Amino acid sequence: MKVFCVFAFLAAALVLNSQVPQVVINEFSPKGTEWAELYNTTSAPVVLTGWKITSAVDGDSLMLSGTIGANSVMNFSISTAIMDNDGDSIFLYKPGDTLVDFVAFGDVGPAPVIIVGWSVSRITDGYWTSSMGRDFNIDATPTPGAPNDAKPAPLDGYVIINEIDPYPTSGDDSVEFINMSWTDTIDLGGWFLSDGDAISALGSHVLLPRSFTVVAESEFGFDFASQDVCYLFSPDTARRDQLGWAGDYNDFSVQRIPNGTGPNDGYNWVSSGGGLTLIDTTATWGEPNGFTSITVDYPAGGETLYSGDTVTVTWTGNAIAYDVFISYDGGALWELVGDSVLSSPLMFEVPRASCPNCLLAVFSEEDYFFSDTSDSFFTIVDSLPFGDTTEVYYDSASATNYYHWTTAGSGSGMRLTAPSQRGPFRLIGAKYMLQDATTGSNIFDCKVFQWGGTEPGAEEFTQNVTFPVLGTPQWYVVDVTQQGLTIEAGEDFVVCIFYDGINQPGWGFYTQTNDRAWDYDAGWSLWSSEIYCIRALLADLNGVVEEIGEEISIERPELYFSNALFGNGTWISYAVPSHGRVVIKIYDVSGREVRTLLDRHEEPGIRHLPFDGKSNDGSYLAKGVYFCRLESSSGNVSRKISVVE
């Protein structure tokens, strides 16, 4: 009988057009003592003699009589029940069996079903849109023969019924809710849940933005059945979401996939998106529904990126497409840098910015509830308007201990030496391996001193630093570009961390004999047994790579060339610190390889390679932006190159 009712509902929907009927079913009560109220939408009286209200489930009818006034309501008591309690379609016919209006409710249509003593009501008298589910709502205080006053039924996806197990093999029924907002925190305390036979107020469940909560039958107090619809109401009884599953054999739990998607006015398996956005699968209570996984590989945290460089963002995942975002303020605001990326990697030009607490996030484009973010902050150092950036250090990047001074005005530092075959340089960054403050806040004084020949000499500058709460030790870069300090080629200088007398952040070190670590405590002393994890970032003021002797210590792979490629080509200089395979290729902005310049094993050193501006097929590259990428056993590096003519 219910199958016939569904077909009747669909047939009626095809017969009625988008125009407001002459008379509409305005309010009704299908449970307890049945009644139905009609509303005349016109400005003239309508004689109802010969009209009838018919139930699709049982086929029973109520014959009408009388005259309904213009823009008025008229209520009819139904002494012999004709409406099915679980759901039905009721039709209004005028003489000649001409269909005038119909309403499908419960497990037969998108209008809700109610508990005994309540009514199903149009939001206001004659309220009519293209969405039956939104035209009607429940009313705890029925108004037969009087103006309707039901609350709206926006079904707006504000809070979503995301997963439900209406008949588990054992234990309670459970319902999972999801907050779709990116900004609003929602407390479900005072919201209502109903199956049409009972309605229950929920207790406090705080839903943070984009989060889940699960409510069990032991709280809401009723048991869902195979033909039920789950309705969710906000505290004012506005209907926010509904989900039906009649027609599905529930093996596991019924889940929206992607999370929060699908119809919000469903009343059975098909109309709720069954097989498309509603899936019967293994429960994932309190976690995103679905089978997607994403892991950010690079930058994962702790790295230093340089403005103007091109880096290769990588991740692993099984999504169809990805959206990639970067945050320059620790996650408060996010900027889209890769839209609808089909797969890893993404070549990304580091912006002209200076940022110590950057994060990268990769989202499944189909379902933003699946994502991953860098494990910790990485740093961007603004090298504009300088040339290539060099990181000077003598540590192994892995501190074994952390220390903090207890005497105000004391500090520690490392004597660092600028490369001798390049320069002069601008000191643009001081880099520290830091641990959260033992006392006070995460604040310290960054100091840089000249080298006096036998010990640190005159102070160049002091810069007060506040770094974010890290939780676990991490590298942190202090942007000192504005200090304007020039370091000559081969020059020694000392980068320090000093205790300000209040705040005691710890910095990393490990045991190793050296002649570069210095402490200051009312005077300088060499601390030859420990290496401090303190570094410097230098930018070449000339921006030009000079001839470099093979004896220079190469610390990481590098690429050097003019960023603009003209018709006569250019030379690409490259450096690798260890023996192994070296591959240099040119890619277009989509990541497609256009030219292989080098693929062979090489010894450590610096070499020069001509590039004639041609692709692998011998044709000249079109004007535009490309990326040159060096891959080696000791690391990879990418830089932008532009073809201008």
Side-chain angles (χ1 to χ4, degrees), residues 98-117:
T98 301
L99 180 64
V100 179
D101 190 23
F102 82 103
V103 180
F105 63 92
D107 62 355
V108 174
V113 69
I114 45 83
I115 65 175
V116 175

Side-chain angles (χ1 to χ4, degrees), residues 419-493:
S420 58
Q421 276 74 31
R422 284 190 289 148
F425 301 92
R426 175 65 52 81
L427 178 64
I428 62 172
K431 188 172 180 179
Y432 304 88
M433 175 66 80
L434 295 175
Q435 190 179 51
D436 283 349
T438 302
T439 61
S441 302
N442 286 2
I443 299 173
F444 66 91
D445 287 332
C446 165
K447 290 180 179 283
V448 175
F449 295 84
Q450 297 176 6
W451 177 244
T454 58
E455 65 177 30
E459 180 181 325
E460 292 283 6
F461 66 82
T462 296
Q463 185 169 318
N464 188 250
V465 177
T466 301
F467 65 97
V469 176
L470 304 176
T472 59
Q474 297 183 26
W475 283 104
Y476 182 83
V477 175
V478 180
D479 182 0
V480 296
T481 309
Q482 71 275 13
Q483 301 292 344
L485 181 60
T486 298
I487 306 292
E488 298 297 333
E491 181 182 354
D492 286 343
F493 58 103

Side-chain angles (χ1 to χ4, degrees), residues 384-630:
L384 183 72
F386 314 120
D388 296 295
T389 304
T390 298
E391 187 167 346
V392 181
Y393 61 94
Y394 298 92
D395 61 81
S396 65
S398 57
T400 57
N401 291 288
Y402 291 85
Y403 182 74
H404 61 270
W405 283 98
T406 58
T407 304
S410 299
S412 297
M414 285 290 290
R415 175 173 64 88
L416 305 172
T417 304
S420 58
Q421 276 74 31
R422 284 190 289 148
F425 301 92
R426 175 65 52 81
L427 178 64
I428 62 172
K431 188 172 180 179
Y432 304 88
M433 175 66 80
L434 295 175
Q435 190 179 51
D436 283 349
T438 302
T439 61
S441 302
N442 286 2
I443 299 173
F444 66 91
D445 287 332
C446 165
K447 290 180 179 283
V448 175
F449 295 84
Q450 297 176 6
W451 177 244
T454 58
E455 65 177 30
E459 180 181 325
E460 292 283 6
F461 66 82
T462 296
Q463 185 169 318
N464 188 250
V465 177
T466 301
F467 65 97
V469 176
L470 304 176
T472 59
Q474 297 183 26
W475 283 104
Y476 182 83
V477 175
V478 180
D479 182 0
V480 296
T481 309
Q482 71 275 13
Q483 301 292 344
L485 181 60
T486 298
I487 306 292
E488 298 297 333
E491 181 182 354
D492 286 343
F493 58 103
V494 184
V495 177
C496 300
I497 180 171
F498 267 65
Y499 170 45
D500 65 1
I502 300 173
N503 308 288
Q504 294 183 326
W507 69 93
F509 70 91
Y510 60 91
T511 301
Q512 180 178 311
T513 301
N514 72 98
D515 62 352
R516 291 185 171 273
W518 288 83
D519 288 342
Y520 183 85
D521 188 6
W524 288 106
S525 59
L526 177 66
W527 198 255
S528 59
S529 62
E530 294 167 352
I531 288 282
Y532 298 140
C533 295
I534 298 176
R535 303 178 174 186
L537 302 175
L538 302 176
D540 192 334
L541 283 172
N542 291 323
V544 176
V545 179
E546 301 176 357
E547 291 299 322
I548 302 176
E550 296 296 326
E551 72 278 7
I552 189 171
S553 174
I554 302 170
E555 299 169 345
R556 62 177 185 175
E558 285 288 2
L559 279 170
Y560 311 99
F561 49 78
S562 169
N563 283 339
L565 172 62
F566 295 87
N568 58 355
T570 190
W571 282 88
I572 294 176
S573 298
Y574 62 97
V576 290
S578 60
H579 171 82
R581 184 185 177 197
V582 180
V583 179
I584 299 178
K585 295 184 178 183
I586 306 295
Y587 297 86
D588 63 18
V589 291
S590 70
R592 180 178 63 90
E593 177 193 330
V594 296
R595 178 71 180 274
T596 298
L597 294 174
L598 182 71
D599 188 349
R600 67 189 181 206
H601 282 76
E602 293 198 335
E603 297 298 323
I606 299 173
R607 294 172 179 81
H608 310 283
L609 182 71
F611 176 37
D612 57 9
K614 295 181 179 179
S615 65
N616 286 328
D617 64 9
S619 61
Y620 282 99
L621 297 177
K623 293 181 182 179
V625 175
Y626 297 83
F627 299 97
C628 182
R629 179 172 174 81
L630 180 152

